[in-house]
Amino acid sequence: MKAYSVGNNKEDNGNFVAAYYFRYDELRTIIEALEELWNYEHQWAQDDRPSVVKWAQESMDRITELQTKVDYYRDYALRVREEEK
């Protein structure tokens, strides 16, 4: 990770939003790690116990949401970089 800053953006609850600056390869590594974590949770989702399945599915949903955000920002950054060339 290169750097971070706290900007003027705020969440709905009034908390400031921190911006972290990653290199493109770091974002790809984060995405790959999230995929591995999702696969691990997917194994738990195959369990016979309903409470474990529910927990695993909720965890997989959170991982998917985070992965989608990271992937979106990486793709957006790559497009901006291409436009600046």
Side-chain angles (χ1 to χ4, degrees), residues 4 6-8 17 21 24 26 28 31 35 37-41 43 48 51 54-55 60 63 68 72-73 82 84:
Y4 75 95
V6 177
N8 293 329
V17 176
Y21 302 99
Y24 304 108
E26 291 173 324
R28 184 70 230 153
I31 292 167
E35 288 172 357
L37 184 58
W38 189 93
N39 288 332
Y40 174 77
E41 296 297 337
Q43 291 175 353
D48 293 337
S51 61
K54 182 178 184 256
W55 168 78
M60 289 165 54
I63 294 166
T68 301
Y72 168 80
Y73 290 121
E82 287 300 313
E84 291 177 351

Side-chain angles (χ1 to χ4, degrees), residues 20-67:
Y20 295 90
Y21 302 99
F22 294 97
R23 295 188 319 264
Y24 304 108
D25 61 324
E26 291 173 324
L27 290 173
R28 184 70 230 153
T29 301
I30 292 169
I31 292 167
E32 290 170 358
L34 289 170
E35 288 172 357
E36 289 293 323
L37 184 58
W38 189 93
N39 288 332
Y40 174 77
E41 296 297 337
H42 185 262
Q43 291 175 353
W44 279 106
Q46 309 307 312
D47 197 282
D48 293 337
R49 297 168 287 181
S51 61
V52 172
V53 171
K54 182 178 184 256
W55 168 78
Q57 289 174 339
E58 290 171 354
S59 182
M60 289 165 54
D61 289 344
R62 290 190 303 269
I63 294 166
T64 300
E65 182 180 344
L66 182 57
Q67 184 177 4

